Amino acid sequence: MVLSTANLTVDMDIDTKHQFINDVIAECKSVLEENPGNRCAKYCLEYLNSEEGKNLDSKDVVTFYKCIKTGLENPDSSLGCYAMTPLDYSKFGGFFDKVIRDYHGDESGDKKHITDWNVDDAEDYDVKKLGQDELSMRVRVGRNLIGFNLPGEMDKDERIKFEQKMLPAFDQLMEKYGGKIHSLTPDFGDIGANPNLISKEEYQKLVDAHVMFKDMDADPYLKSAGISSDWPYGRGCWQSQDKMRIIWFGEEDQLRIMCMKKGSNLLEVFANLNEMLSTVESIDGIEFARDDNYGYVTSCPSNLGTGMRASVHVKIPNLTADGTDKKAKEVCKPLGLSVRGTGGEHTPIGADGTVDISPSARLFIKEKEIIGKLYEGIEKLMAIENA
């Protein structure tokens, strides 16, 4: 069935609200028949039959539907939900908590995220000890600011306002790291022209170089969640002079902050990111949204906690001899590693067997532990590759 949202408004009467909730329940059942792994549908069904779900007022029903819409419109989703505001994780806690703990493997149901970047007692994570040459290393985190909706709930004006909020911060970063802002926002509305606007050709070059993200409006999951709305307003990036530091703005999270480096010691790129994050957080008016249970708030529950993805490019020609990453994924999954192509998710592997690997865990794991997991993963993966 196709859900009708014609009467879905914040001032709908109680009969309309109950009818819509019943329609959502029916849609969840329909989705689960063909896609039993859809967590959104599974836990939405439970939630709307709970006291908390039944007592949602009309305004909250509208917001909750926005949170789950992508999971119902894209039934093959494994998660299928996004928060619209930082407070949604507590406001709709009866739903999100079950989704989050299921996805992140917390069977106890009572874990709390702890943030810890301290690597003073860390081992020497130099991959040369594993027989590796210098690797292409990248670490990124997702962050969102207090005082703004998350990207799925932003309208065009708020996207522009957020970009302008970040301009003084980028100025301070450029004082330290140099570089340039590359913006896709056509104009700033009543305020006037955008001095950082780049051409379509410049944008494509940045995409090809993996500096900028692709057109989000082509992604059906982000489109259903409202995250790609108003494209390309409020979208762009800052890149440092040495090309090793990048901040995306206006993607799935308000900010994606990342560092990359070619080297052999994993701690180097980790330390660079920690330093840049400290610089960003010290800027007046910049405060990252956090949750008492889940750490740093992100749009997608999969990235909660650290919001971190630490990855390296490694050559595994034996495991990719068939030209695909199928066998590599089978080997890496038990090691707690995710495998992607060299250009990111849904991209092909390198012609020489190079793949992008990263620890899967984001939540209920300390930042410093992620780097350790990555090193251990490389060690175990290479042992299998060379067996």
Side-chain angles (χ1 to χ4, degrees), residues 197-215:
L197 178 62
I198 61 174
S199 68
K200 290 182 179 179
E201 292 74 22
E202 289 174 297
Y203 167 60
Q204 191 56 52
K205 286 181 181 179
L206 292 172
V207 170
D208 293 342
H210 308 302
V211 173
M212 265 289 283
F213 47 94
K214 297 177 182 178
D215 182 348

Side-chain angles (χ1 to χ4, degrees), residues 122-306:
E123 298 178 23
D124 177 17
Y125 294 132
D126 194 326
V127 297
K128 285 184 178 178
K129 294 189 298 184
L130 306 178
Q132 292 289 304
D133 295 324
E134 289 190 334
L135 302 176
S136 175
M137 307 180 292
R138 178 183 288 224
V139 185
R140 64 88 167 146
V141 293
R143 293 291 187 266
N144 295 279
L145 301 191
I146 289 174
F148 287 87
N149 289 313
L150 296 178
E153 184 70 352
M154 283 181 162
D155 59 17
K156 186 173 83 170
D157 289 343
E158 188 175 12
R159 296 184 196 281
I160 292 173
K161 182 180 178 183
F162 178 82
E163 181 173 345
Q164 293 176 316
K165 169 80 172 179
M166 288 302 301
L167 292 180
F170 290 138
D171 286 341
Q172 291 191 45
L173 286 168
M174 285 188 283
E175 287 178 12
K176 185 170 185 176
Y177 302 112
K180 182 181 178 182
I181 301 168
H182 308 278
S183 176
L184 304 183
T185 300
D187 60 78
F188 285 152
D190 295 339
I191 298 172
N194 178 2
N196 302 307
L197 178 62
I198 61 174
S199 68
K200 290 182 179 179
E201 292 74 22
E202 289 174 297
Y203 167 60
Q204 191 56 52
K205 286 181 181 179
L206 292 172
V207 170
D208 293 342
H210 308 302
V211 173
M212 265 289 283
F213 47 94
K214 297 177 182 178
D215 182 348
M216 298 160 63
D217 212 33
D219 187 314
Y221 303 92
L222 298 180
K223 195 175 184 71
S224 291
I227 291 172
S228 66
S229 298
D230 311 304
W231 178 270
Y233 282 89
R235 275 70 176 212
C237 76
W238 162 77
Q239 184 180 32
S240 63
Q241 186 68 37
D242 64 5
K243 313 295 186 187
M244 295 295 101
R245 296 167 173 83
I246 298 172
I247 298 181
W248 290 350
F249 55 90
E251 209 238 12
E252 183 179 297
D253 289 305
Q254 294 165 6
L255 299 171
R256 287 280 171 94
I257 303 169
M258 61 193 82
C259 287
M260 57 280 300
K261 183 178 176 63
K262 196 167 182 67
S264 63
N265 193 328
L266 301 183
L267 289 178
E268 291 178 358
V269 68
F270 183 78
N272 288 348
L273 177 62
N274 194 15
E275 177 194 29
M276 189 166 74
L277 276 172
S278 297
T279 300
V280 174
E281 286 187 280
S282 69
I283 296 171
D284 187 43
I286 301 296
E287 186 176 359
F288 297 142
R290 290 176 57 90
D291 182 274
D292 290 341
N293 292 316
Y294 313 127
Y296 287 105
V297 169
T298 54
S299 290
C300 183
S302 66
N303 289 319
L304 286 167
T306 62

